Short mmCIF file of all heavy atoms in Angstrom, two decimals:
data_model
loop_
_atom_site.label_atom_id
_atom_site.label_comp_id
_atom_site.label_asym_id
_atom_site.label_seq_id
_atom_site.Cartn_x
_atom_site.Cartn_y
_atom_site.Cartn_z
N MET A 1 1.68 -6.94 -9.92
CA MET A 1 1.86 -7.80 -8.71
C MET A 1 1.44 -7.01 -7.48
O MET A 1 1.62 -5.79 -7.43
CB MET A 1 3.28 -8.35 -8.62
CG MET A 1 4.32 -7.22 -8.60
SD MET A 1 5.98 -7.89 -8.86
CE MET A 1 5.92 -8.18 -10.60
N PRO A 2 0.98 -7.63 -6.50
CA PRO A 2 0.49 -6.97 -5.32
C PRO A 2 1.61 -6.43 -4.46
O PRO A 2 2.67 -6.99 -4.31
CB PRO A 2 -0.31 -8.03 -4.60
CG PRO A 2 0.36 -9.36 -4.95
CD PRO A 2 0.81 -9.14 -6.37
N ILE A 3 1.30 -5.30 -3.89
CA ILE A 3 2.21 -4.71 -2.89
C ILE A 3 1.47 -4.69 -1.53
O ILE A 3 0.42 -4.08 -1.39
CB ILE A 3 2.66 -3.28 -3.23
CG1 ILE A 3 3.42 -3.29 -4.50
CG2 ILE A 3 3.50 -2.68 -2.11
CD1 ILE A 3 3.82 -1.90 -5.00
N TYR A 4 1.99 -5.39 -0.56
CA TYR A 4 1.39 -5.43 0.72
C TYR A 4 2.13 -4.47 1.67
O TYR A 4 3.29 -4.27 1.55
CB TYR A 4 1.41 -6.82 1.33
CG TYR A 4 0.51 -7.81 0.56
CD1 TYR A 4 0.97 -9.09 0.19
CD2 TYR A 4 -0.80 -7.44 0.30
CE1 TYR A 4 0.14 -9.93 -0.44
CE2 TYR A 4 -1.69 -8.35 -0.30
CZ TYR A 4 -1.14 -9.61 -0.72
OH TYR A 4 -1.97 -10.49 -1.39
N GLU A 5 1.30 -3.90 2.55
CA GLU A 5 1.92 -3.01 3.54
C GLU A 5 1.97 -3.76 4.88
O GLU A 5 1.00 -4.46 5.26
CB GLU A 5 1.04 -1.74 3.66
CG GLU A 5 1.12 -0.93 2.41
CD GLU A 5 0.11 0.30 2.46
OE1 GLU A 5 -0.49 0.44 3.51
OE2 GLU A 5 0.05 0.96 1.50
N TYR A 6 3.05 -3.60 5.52
CA TYR A 6 3.27 -4.18 6.84
C TYR A 6 3.62 -3.12 7.86
O TYR A 6 4.15 -2.14 7.52
CB TYR A 6 4.40 -5.21 6.77
CG TYR A 6 4.11 -6.45 5.92
CD1 TYR A 6 4.33 -6.39 4.54
CD2 TYR A 6 3.73 -7.62 6.52
CE1 TYR A 6 4.04 -7.53 3.79
CE2 TYR A 6 3.44 -8.77 5.75
CZ TYR A 6 3.63 -8.69 4.40
OH TYR A 6 3.36 -9.76 3.61
N GLN A 7 3.36 -3.53 9.14
CA GLN A 7 3.83 -2.64 10.22
C GLN A 7 4.53 -3.52 11.21
O GLN A 7 4.01 -4.55 11.65
CB GLN A 7 2.67 -1.94 10.84
CG GLN A 7 3.13 -1.02 11.96
CD GLN A 7 2.01 -0.16 12.56
OE1 GLN A 7 0.87 -0.57 12.64
NE2 GLN A 7 2.28 1.08 12.88
N CYS A 8 5.73 -3.12 11.58
CA CYS A 8 6.53 -3.82 12.56
C CYS A 8 5.85 -3.74 13.93
O CYS A 8 5.45 -2.71 14.39
CB CYS A 8 7.95 -3.22 12.60
SG CYS A 8 8.99 -3.98 13.83
N GLU A 9 5.81 -4.90 14.60
CA GLU A 9 5.22 -4.91 15.92
C GLU A 9 6.13 -4.42 16.99
O GLU A 9 5.74 -4.17 18.13
CB GLU A 9 4.71 -6.32 16.23
CG GLU A 9 3.59 -6.80 15.38
CD GLU A 9 2.98 -8.10 15.80
OE1 GLU A 9 3.53 -8.74 16.73
OE2 GLU A 9 2.02 -8.54 15.18
N LYS A 10 7.39 -4.23 16.67
CA LYS A 10 8.38 -3.84 17.59
C LYS A 10 8.57 -2.33 17.56
O LYS A 10 8.45 -1.63 18.58
CB LYS A 10 9.70 -4.52 17.35
CG LYS A 10 10.74 -4.23 18.41
CD LYS A 10 12.05 -4.97 18.12
CE LYS A 10 13.09 -4.62 19.19
NZ LYS A 10 14.36 -5.33 18.87
N CYS A 11 8.85 -1.78 16.39
CA CYS A 11 9.14 -0.39 16.30
C CYS A 11 8.06 0.40 15.52
O CYS A 11 8.14 1.63 15.39
CB CYS A 11 10.53 -0.17 15.64
SG CYS A 11 10.50 -0.49 13.84
N HIS A 12 7.05 -0.31 15.11
CA HIS A 12 5.90 0.30 14.46
C HIS A 12 6.25 0.92 13.09
O HIS A 12 5.47 1.72 12.56
CB HIS A 12 5.21 1.33 15.35
CG HIS A 12 4.54 0.69 16.56
ND1 HIS A 12 4.00 1.44 17.55
CD2 HIS A 12 4.43 -0.62 16.89
CE1 HIS A 12 3.51 0.63 18.48
NE2 HIS A 12 3.80 -0.62 18.11
N HIS A 13 7.36 0.60 12.57
CA HIS A 13 7.76 1.11 11.26
C HIS A 13 6.87 0.43 10.18
O HIS A 13 6.57 -0.72 10.25
CB HIS A 13 9.18 0.79 10.98
CG HIS A 13 9.68 1.19 9.59
ND1 HIS A 13 9.79 2.54 9.27
CD2 HIS A 13 9.95 0.45 8.47
CE1 HIS A 13 10.21 2.56 7.98
NE2 HIS A 13 10.29 1.38 7.52
N CYS A 14 6.41 1.29 9.25
CA CYS A 14 5.58 0.76 8.18
C CYS A 14 6.44 0.60 6.89
O CYS A 14 7.26 1.50 6.61
CB CYS A 14 4.39 1.67 7.87
SG CYS A 14 3.24 1.70 9.24
N PHE A 15 6.20 -0.45 6.16
CA PHE A 15 6.94 -0.64 4.93
C PHE A 15 6.08 -1.45 3.98
O PHE A 15 5.12 -2.11 4.35
CB PHE A 15 8.27 -1.32 5.26
CG PHE A 15 8.12 -2.62 5.96
CD1 PHE A 15 8.18 -3.82 5.25
CD2 PHE A 15 7.95 -2.66 7.32
CE1 PHE A 15 8.10 -5.08 5.91
CE2 PHE A 15 7.85 -3.86 7.99
CZ PHE A 15 7.89 -5.09 7.28
N GLU A 16 6.47 -1.41 2.73
CA GLU A 16 5.77 -2.12 1.70
C GLU A 16 6.64 -3.27 1.19
O GLU A 16 7.86 -3.18 1.10
CB GLU A 16 5.39 -1.21 0.54
CG GLU A 16 4.50 -0.08 0.93
CD GLU A 16 4.23 0.80 -0.22
OE1 GLU A 16 5.07 0.99 -1.08
OE2 GLU A 16 3.13 1.45 -0.25
N VAL A 17 5.98 -4.33 0.85
CA VAL A 17 6.66 -5.52 0.33
C VAL A 17 5.99 -5.94 -0.90
O VAL A 17 4.78 -6.15 -0.98
CB VAL A 17 6.66 -6.67 1.37
CG1 VAL A 17 7.27 -7.91 0.79
CG2 VAL A 17 7.35 -6.25 2.65
N LEU A 18 6.79 -6.13 -1.97
CA LEU A 18 6.30 -6.68 -3.19
C LEU A 18 6.16 -8.19 -3.02
O LEU A 18 7.14 -8.92 -2.66
CB LEU A 18 7.31 -6.43 -4.34
CG LEU A 18 6.96 -5.21 -5.23
CD1 LEU A 18 8.13 -5.06 -6.22
CD2 LEU A 18 5.66 -5.43 -5.96
N VAL A 19 4.99 -8.69 -3.27
CA VAL A 19 4.76 -10.11 -3.00
C VAL A 19 4.66 -10.86 -4.34
O VAL A 19 3.80 -10.62 -5.15
CB VAL A 19 3.46 -10.32 -2.21
CG1 VAL A 19 3.20 -11.81 -2.01
CG2 VAL A 19 3.56 -9.62 -0.87
N PHE A 20 5.64 -11.72 -4.54
CA PHE A 20 5.65 -12.45 -5.79
C PHE A 20 4.87 -13.77 -5.71
O PHE A 20 4.37 -14.25 -6.71
CB PHE A 20 7.14 -12.79 -6.18
CG PHE A 20 7.93 -11.57 -6.43
CD1 PHE A 20 8.68 -10.99 -5.43
CD2 PHE A 20 7.87 -10.92 -7.67
CE1 PHE A 20 9.42 -9.84 -5.69
CE2 PHE A 20 8.58 -9.79 -7.92
CZ PHE A 20 9.40 -9.24 -6.92
N SER A 21 4.82 -14.32 -4.57
CA SER A 21 4.07 -15.57 -4.33
C SER A 21 3.46 -15.51 -2.97
O SER A 21 2.89 -14.53 -2.56
CB SER A 21 5.01 -16.73 -4.52
OG SER A 21 6.01 -16.69 -3.52
N SER A 22 3.53 -16.63 -2.27
CA SER A 22 2.92 -16.62 -0.94
C SER A 22 4.01 -16.47 0.16
O SER A 22 3.89 -16.94 1.22
CB SER A 22 2.21 -17.94 -0.72
OG SER A 22 3.08 -19.05 -0.93
N ASP A 23 5.02 -15.79 -0.23
CA ASP A 23 6.17 -15.54 0.71
C ASP A 23 5.93 -14.44 1.68
O ASP A 23 6.83 -14.03 2.38
CB ASP A 23 7.40 -15.27 -0.05
CG ASP A 23 7.87 -16.46 -0.91
OD1 ASP A 23 7.36 -17.56 -0.70
OD2 ASP A 23 8.74 -16.31 -1.79
N ASP A 24 4.77 -13.89 1.68
CA ASP A 24 4.51 -12.72 2.52
C ASP A 24 4.74 -12.94 3.98
O ASP A 24 5.04 -11.99 4.70
CB ASP A 24 3.14 -12.14 2.25
CG ASP A 24 2.05 -13.17 2.49
OD1 ASP A 24 2.28 -14.34 2.31
OD2 ASP A 24 0.95 -12.77 2.90
N GLU A 25 4.70 -14.20 4.41
CA GLU A 25 4.86 -14.43 5.83
C GLU A 25 6.36 -14.30 6.23
O GLU A 25 6.66 -14.33 7.42
CB GLU A 25 4.43 -15.88 6.17
CG GLU A 25 2.95 -16.09 5.94
CD GLU A 25 2.10 -15.15 6.79
OE1 GLU A 25 2.48 -14.89 7.95
OE2 GLU A 25 1.07 -14.64 6.26
N THR A 26 7.22 -14.10 5.23
CA THR A 26 8.62 -14.02 5.55
C THR A 26 9.08 -12.53 5.68
O THR A 26 10.28 -12.31 5.82
CB THR A 26 9.50 -14.70 4.49
OG1 THR A 26 9.30 -14.00 3.24
CG2 THR A 26 9.03 -16.12 4.34
N ALA A 27 8.16 -11.62 5.61
CA ALA A 27 8.51 -10.25 5.68
C ALA A 27 9.19 -9.89 7.00
O ALA A 27 8.79 -10.36 8.06
CB ALA A 27 7.28 -9.35 5.49
N THR A 28 10.24 -9.09 6.94
CA THR A 28 10.86 -8.63 8.12
C THR A 28 10.98 -7.08 8.10
O THR A 28 11.06 -6.47 7.05
CB THR A 28 12.31 -9.21 8.32
OG1 THR A 28 13.05 -8.90 7.14
CG2 THR A 28 12.21 -10.73 8.45
N CYS A 29 11.07 -6.48 9.25
CA CYS A 29 11.17 -5.06 9.30
C CYS A 29 12.54 -4.54 8.82
O CYS A 29 13.56 -5.03 9.30
CB CYS A 29 10.99 -4.60 10.81
SG CYS A 29 11.25 -2.84 10.98
N PRO A 30 12.57 -3.61 7.87
CA PRO A 30 13.81 -3.14 7.32
C PRO A 30 14.58 -2.20 8.28
O PRO A 30 15.72 -1.89 8.13
CB PRO A 30 13.38 -2.39 6.08
CG PRO A 30 11.98 -1.96 6.37
CD PRO A 30 11.38 -3.05 7.21
N GLU A 31 13.84 -1.77 9.33
CA GLU A 31 14.46 -0.84 10.30
C GLU A 31 15.18 -1.57 11.42
O GLU A 31 16.28 -1.22 11.77
CB GLU A 31 13.37 0.03 10.88
CG GLU A 31 12.80 1.04 9.91
CD GLU A 31 13.85 2.13 9.56
OE1 GLU A 31 14.47 2.63 10.45
OE2 GLU A 31 14.02 2.34 8.36
N CYS A 32 14.60 -2.63 11.91
CA CYS A 32 15.14 -3.28 13.09
C CYS A 32 15.29 -4.79 12.90
O CYS A 32 15.66 -5.55 13.80
CB CYS A 32 14.28 -2.96 14.35
SG CYS A 32 12.66 -3.78 14.31
N SER A 33 14.89 -5.24 11.71
CA SER A 33 15.03 -6.66 11.35
C SER A 33 14.09 -7.57 12.22
O SER A 33 14.30 -8.78 12.25
CB SER A 33 16.48 -7.15 11.45
OG SER A 33 17.26 -6.42 10.57
N HIS A 34 13.15 -6.97 12.90
CA HIS A 34 12.24 -7.77 13.63
C HIS A 34 11.32 -8.52 12.71
O HIS A 34 10.94 -8.08 11.66
CB HIS A 34 11.38 -6.78 14.51
CG HIS A 34 10.67 -7.49 15.65
ND1 HIS A 34 11.24 -8.18 16.58
CD2 HIS A 34 9.30 -7.53 15.91
CE1 HIS A 34 10.38 -8.64 17.44
NE2 HIS A 34 9.15 -8.27 16.99
N ARG A 35 11.07 -9.74 13.07
CA ARG A 35 10.33 -10.62 12.15
C ARG A 35 8.78 -10.62 12.44
O ARG A 35 8.06 -11.15 11.62
CB ARG A 35 10.85 -12.07 12.29
CG ARG A 35 12.23 -12.20 11.74
CD ARG A 35 12.66 -13.68 11.75
NE ARG A 35 14.03 -13.83 11.27
CZ ARG A 35 14.69 -14.95 11.14
NH1 ARG A 35 14.07 -16.03 11.59
NH2 ARG A 35 15.88 -14.99 10.67
N ARG A 36 8.43 -10.09 13.54
CA ARG A 36 7.02 -10.06 13.83
C ARG A 36 6.39 -8.78 13.27
O ARG A 36 6.42 -7.74 13.88
CB ARG A 36 6.77 -10.14 15.33
CG ARG A 36 7.27 -11.45 15.90
CD ARG A 36 6.65 -11.72 17.25
NE ARG A 36 5.27 -11.93 17.16
CZ ARG A 36 4.56 -12.71 17.99
NH1 ARG A 36 5.14 -13.41 18.86
NH2 ARG A 36 3.23 -12.88 17.80
N VAL A 37 5.87 -8.90 12.06
CA VAL A 37 5.21 -7.77 11.42
C VAL A 37 3.80 -8.17 11.10
O VAL A 37 3.52 -9.36 10.90
CB VAL A 37 5.95 -7.33 10.16
CG1 VAL A 37 7.38 -6.86 10.49
CG2 VAL A 37 6.00 -8.46 9.15
N LYS A 38 2.95 -7.24 11.08
CA LYS A 38 1.55 -7.55 10.72
C LYS A 38 1.23 -6.88 9.38
O LYS A 38 1.64 -5.77 9.08
CB LYS A 38 0.62 -7.08 11.80
CG LYS A 38 0.44 -5.57 11.97
CD LYS A 38 -0.65 -5.20 12.91
CE LYS A 38 -0.79 -3.70 13.02
NZ LYS A 38 -1.97 -3.36 13.90
N ARG A 39 0.45 -7.62 8.65
CA ARG A 39 0.12 -7.10 7.35
C ARG A 39 -1.15 -6.21 7.48
O ARG A 39 -2.09 -6.57 8.19
CB ARG A 39 -0.21 -8.25 6.36
CG ARG A 39 -0.21 -7.72 4.96
CD ARG A 39 -0.26 -8.89 3.98
NE ARG A 39 -1.60 -9.38 3.82
CZ ARG A 39 -1.91 -10.54 3.19
NH1 ARG A 39 -0.96 -11.32 2.80
NH2 ARG A 39 -3.15 -10.90 3.01
N LEU A 40 -1.06 -5.06 6.87
CA LEU A 40 -2.17 -4.12 6.96
C LEU A 40 -3.13 -4.38 5.86
O LEU A 40 -2.76 -4.74 4.71
CB LEU A 40 -1.60 -2.69 6.89
CG LEU A 40 -0.56 -2.36 7.92
CD1 LEU A 40 -0.01 -0.95 7.68
CD2 LEU A 40 -1.10 -2.47 9.31
N LEU A 41 -4.40 -4.22 6.14
CA LEU A 41 -5.42 -4.57 5.13
C LEU A 41 -5.63 -3.42 4.19
O LEU A 41 -6.15 -3.59 3.08
CB LEU A 41 -6.78 -4.86 5.84
CG LEU A 41 -6.70 -6.07 6.81
CD1 LEU A 41 -8.06 -6.27 7.50
CD2 LEU A 41 -6.28 -7.32 6.04
N SER A 42 -5.21 -2.24 4.55
CA SER A 42 -5.35 -1.09 3.64
C SER A 42 -4.23 -0.15 3.87
O SER A 42 -3.25 -0.48 4.54
CB SER A 42 -6.68 -0.41 3.93
OG SER A 42 -6.71 0.07 5.24
N SER A 43 -4.32 1.02 3.27
CA SER A 43 -3.20 2.01 3.41
C SER A 43 -3.35 2.77 4.71
O SER A 43 -3.14 3.99 4.72
CB SER A 43 -3.28 2.94 2.19
OG SER A 43 -3.17 2.21 1.00
N THR A 44 -3.52 2.10 5.75
CA THR A 44 -3.72 2.69 7.05
C THR A 44 -2.58 3.65 7.43
O THR A 44 -2.83 4.75 7.89
CB THR A 44 -3.84 1.63 8.17
OG1 THR A 44 -4.85 0.71 7.80
CG2 THR A 44 -4.14 2.27 9.50
N CYS A 45 -1.42 3.20 7.15
CA CYS A 45 -0.24 3.95 7.58
C CYS A 45 -0.07 5.27 6.76
O CYS A 45 0.62 6.18 7.16
CB CYS A 45 1.02 3.15 7.45
SG CYS A 45 1.19 1.95 8.79
N PHE A 46 -0.66 5.27 5.60
CA PHE A 46 -0.31 6.39 4.69
C PHE A 46 -1.47 7.33 4.45
O PHE A 46 -1.43 8.23 3.62
CB PHE A 46 0.13 5.73 3.36
CG PHE A 46 1.32 4.89 3.54
CD1 PHE A 46 1.18 3.51 3.56
CD2 PHE A 46 2.60 5.45 3.71
CE1 PHE A 46 2.27 2.73 3.78
CE2 PHE A 46 3.70 4.64 3.84
CZ PHE A 46 3.57 3.28 3.87
N ILE A 47 -2.55 7.15 5.24
CA ILE A 47 -3.69 8.04 5.05
C ILE A 47 -3.30 9.43 5.47
O ILE A 47 -2.70 9.72 6.53
CB ILE A 47 -4.83 7.61 6.01
CG1 ILE A 47 -5.44 6.32 5.43
CG2 ILE A 47 -5.91 8.68 6.16
CD1 ILE A 47 -6.57 5.72 6.28
N GLY A 48 -3.55 10.37 4.57
CA GLY A 48 -3.28 11.78 4.87
C GLY A 48 -1.80 12.09 4.83
O GLY A 48 -1.39 13.19 5.19
N SER A 49 -0.97 11.17 4.44
CA SER A 49 0.44 11.41 4.38
C SER A 49 1.00 11.40 2.95
O SER A 49 0.82 10.48 2.25
CB SER A 49 1.16 10.30 5.20
OG SER A 49 2.55 10.49 5.08
N SER A 50 1.61 12.47 2.58
CA SER A 50 2.18 12.55 1.25
C SER A 50 3.59 12.09 1.19
O SER A 50 4.13 11.65 0.20
CB SER A 50 2.09 14.00 0.71
OG SER A 50 2.79 14.87 1.59
N GLY A 51 4.30 12.15 2.33
CA GLY A 51 5.69 11.79 2.37
C GLY A 51 5.85 10.32 2.84
O GLY A 51 6.81 9.71 2.51
N GLY A 52 4.93 9.84 3.58
CA GLY A 52 4.96 8.49 4.02
C GLY A 52 6.01 8.28 5.16
O GLY A 52 6.28 7.16 5.55
N SER A 53 6.44 9.36 5.72
CA SER A 53 7.46 9.25 6.78
C SER A 53 6.90 9.56 8.14
O SER A 53 7.56 9.45 9.14
CB SER A 53 8.63 10.18 6.50
OG SER A 53 8.17 11.51 6.50
N GLY A 54 5.62 9.82 8.21
CA GLY A 54 4.99 10.18 9.49
C GLY A 54 4.31 8.97 10.14
O GLY A 54 3.56 9.10 11.08
N CYS A 55 4.69 7.83 9.67
CA CYS A 55 4.01 6.60 10.10
C CYS A 55 4.09 6.38 11.60
O CYS A 55 3.08 6.13 12.25
CB CYS A 55 4.58 5.40 9.39
SG CYS A 55 4.05 3.85 10.07
N SER A 56 5.29 6.47 12.14
CA SER A 56 5.44 6.10 13.53
C SER A 56 4.67 7.03 14.48
O SER A 56 4.31 6.65 15.57
CB SER A 56 6.92 6.07 13.94
OG SER A 56 7.49 7.38 13.70
N LYS A 57 4.47 8.24 14.00
CA LYS A 57 3.72 9.19 14.83
C LYS A 57 2.27 8.74 15.01
O LYS A 57 1.62 9.06 15.99
CB LYS A 57 3.76 10.58 14.24
CG LYS A 57 5.18 11.16 14.24
CD LYS A 57 5.18 12.52 13.58
CE LYS A 57 6.58 13.12 13.60
NZ LYS A 57 6.54 14.46 12.88
N SER A 58 1.72 8.09 13.98
CA SER A 58 0.33 7.73 13.99
C SER A 58 0.07 6.33 14.53
O SER A 58 -1.02 5.89 14.56
CB SER A 58 -0.24 7.87 12.59
OG SER A 58 0.39 6.97 11.72
N ALA A 59 1.18 5.67 14.97
CA ALA A 59 0.98 4.35 15.55
C ALA A 59 0.19 4.44 16.83
O ALA A 59 0.40 5.33 17.65
CB ALA A 59 2.37 3.76 15.82
N PRO A 60 -0.76 3.56 16.99
CA PRO A 60 -1.67 3.60 18.16
C PRO A 60 -0.81 3.37 19.42
O PRO A 60 -0.04 2.42 19.54
CB PRO A 60 -2.67 2.54 17.94
CG PRO A 60 -1.99 1.56 16.97
CD PRO A 60 -1.11 2.43 16.11
N LYS A 61 -1.05 4.18 20.39
CA LYS A 61 -0.34 3.99 21.69
C LYS A 61 -0.93 2.82 22.44
O LYS A 61 -2.13 2.55 22.39
CB LYS A 61 -0.44 5.29 22.57
CG LYS A 61 0.34 6.41 21.97
CD LYS A 61 0.35 7.60 22.93
CE LYS A 61 1.18 8.75 22.32
NZ LYS A 61 2.58 8.54 22.56
N GLY A 62 -0.06 2.13 23.09
CA GLY A 62 -0.53 0.97 23.89
C GLY A 62 -0.60 -0.28 23.01
O GLY A 62 -1.00 -1.33 23.47
N PHE A 63 -0.27 -0.12 21.81
CA PHE A 63 -0.34 -1.27 20.93
C PHE A 63 0.66 -2.37 21.35
O PHE A 63 1.83 -2.07 21.54
CB PHE A 63 -0.05 -0.82 19.49
CG PHE A 63 0.05 -1.96 18.49
CD1 PHE A 63 -1.12 -2.49 17.98
CD2 PHE A 63 1.25 -2.47 18.08
CE1 PHE A 63 -1.09 -3.51 17.04
CE2 PHE A 63 1.31 -3.51 17.19
CZ PHE A 63 0.15 -4.05 16.70
N SER A 64 0.22 -3.58 21.40
CA SER A 64 1.15 -4.59 21.76
C SER A 64 0.66 -5.90 21.05
O SER A 64 0.96 -6.94 21.35
CB SER A 64 1.22 -4.81 23.22
OG SER A 64 -0.03 -5.15 23.73
ZN1 LIG B 1 10.92 -2.71 13.27
#
């Protein structure tokens, strides 16, 4: 089953969501419970990262 990656538009936290059906629009940020998250088309957040915890550092500044 597909795993989609999302990034929170509020705190820029990246997280993965297992998608069982078309429920992907219901994803919420696990860090701040913000509902406005965007789905990433690729592993943008995890490029060059082995731990996957450096996500917020690589978030683009000025992003809104
Ligand atoms: Zn968040």
Side-chain angles (χ1 to χ4, degrees):
M1 57 193 75
I3 298 178
Y4 291 131
E5 293 174 3
Y6 292 83
Q7 184 173 34
C8 175
E9 293 188 354
K10 183 178 180 182
C11 72
H12 293 176
H13 177 70
C14 292
F15 57 98
E16 295 177 332
V17 176
L18 263 176
V19 179
F20 296 97
S21 61
S22 57
D23 294 347
D24 55 331
E25 296 301 321
T26 66
T28 57
C29 175
E31 289 293 311
C32 68
S33 297
H34 196 59
R35 292 185 180 179
R36 297 198 64 147
V37 298
K38 67 172 181 177
R39 198 170 82 193
L40 304 176
L41 298 180
S42 62
S43 302
T44 306
C45 282
F46 302 99
I47 288 178
S49 174
S50 58
S53 60
C55 170
S56 58
K57 293 180 181 176
S58 61
K61 289 186 180 278
F63 176 80
S64 60

